[in-house]
Amino acid sequence: GQMNVLLAEAGVPYDWVLEMEEINPEMEDTDVCIVIGANDITNSSAEEDPDSPIAGMPVMQVWKAKKTFFMKRSMAGGYADIENPVFFKETTEMLLGDAKQKTDELARKVKELLAE
């Protein structure tokens, strides 16, 4: 959908893009999941809370990865304007601020570590 168009415009090859039903079964075997700017689509309350306004909505199960990093400007809710419990899980780290800057910082650190 819309995200595929944005990824194509950013030059991401289509064969790198997986659909939600393709990636969710892989999450439990995933060491690190990096989420940039997403909120509702990663909100575990859609599956865990039958009273949630987004109950039953298909979501990416990022909380099942061994470690999840969120890059967001703030802890604010997404379009549904509800709190995302994944932000508070033990396996989640929040990198608040400008996603471009945070991505550049993270890439630089990874390159430094790989060069050692």
Side-chain angles (χ1 to χ4, degrees):
Q2 177 186 4
M3 185 55 65
N4 289 353
V5 171
L6 293 172
L7 291 170
E9 288 175 355
V12 175
Y14 187 74
D15 59 335
W16 288 11
V17 179
L18 298 176
E19 298 297 328
M20 190 180 319
E21 52 277 350
E22 294 174 292
I23 197 63
N24 275 346
E26 305 289 329
M27 282 297 179
E28 288 182 356
D29 295 324
T30 301
D31 291 323
V32 177
C33 178
I34 300 174
V35 179
I36 302 175
N39 195 344
D40 295 338
I41 191 70
T42 63
N43 193 320
S44 61
S45 70
E47 293 186 1
E48 299 170 349
D49 180 2
D51 296 323
S52 171
I54 61 170
M57 182 179 100
V59 291
M60 293 181 67
Q61 299 167 336
V62 300
W63 62 91
K64 292 185 176 182
K66 291 174 185 71
K67 188 59 131 180
T68 301
F69 291 91
F70 272 89
M71 292 185 198
K72 288 181 50 80
R73 291 187 190 278
S74 73
M75 299 285 284
Y79 184 78
D81 197 29
I82 60 172
E83 191 170 79
N84 188 337
V86 180
F87 294 172
F88 306 99
K89 292 189 182 285
E90 253 183 64
T91 57
T92 299
E93 299 289 339
M94 301 298 294
L95 300 172
L96 300 178
D98 181 85
K100 171 80 170 107
Q101 288 177 332
K102 294 297 178 189
T103 302
D104 289 346
E105 289 173 24
L106 186 60
R108 188 175 59 252
K109 289 287 188 187
V110 168
K111 286 177 185 175
E112 287 173 10
L113 289 171
L114 291 174
E116 293 180 2

